[in-house]
Amino acid sequence: MTPDVVADVGNSRVKWGVCGPDGISRMASLPPDPAAWEAERARLGAGRLRWAVASVQPAWSERLIDWLRERGDEAR
């Protein structure tokens, strides 16, 4: 899978960036709060996105992955 978005779930922030031909663009650093994720995800536009998620916080990464899948995105 080639991701559209990469995410890093840390101890206090969820960071993600959009993948493009020249590298990562349109980055966000968000609190571990689905309301903040919703607003930023909406900025990425409609349509199904493929996400690659890395984490040091398994509980938060699972929550993010579940949240993404509920919206129709693919997440690994």
Side-chain angles (χ1 to χ4, degrees):
M1 171 191 73
T2 301
D4 299 306
V5 185
V6 291
D8 172 33
V9 181
N11 290 314
S12 62
R13 305 295 288 176
V14 174
K15 298 165 288 292
W16 69 52
V18 176
C19 301
D22 297 323
I24 302 297
S25 66
R26 196 169 196 166
M27 294 176 277
S29 179
L30 307 164
D33 174 11
W37 304 344
E38 189 71 46
E40 192 62 33
R41 173 61 183 89
R43 288 185 184 94
L44 299 178
R48 184 174 190 221
L49 296 174
R50 295 167 303 198
W51 294 70
V53 179
S55 176
V56 297
Q57 288 292 341
W60 274 110
S61 64
E62 286 302 316
R63 188 168 179 187
L64 175 63
I65 289 168
D66 290 345
W67 180 86
L68 291 166
R69 288 177 177 163
E70 288 170 7
R71 279 143 190 81
D73 290 346
E74 178 184 346
R76 294 183 186 188

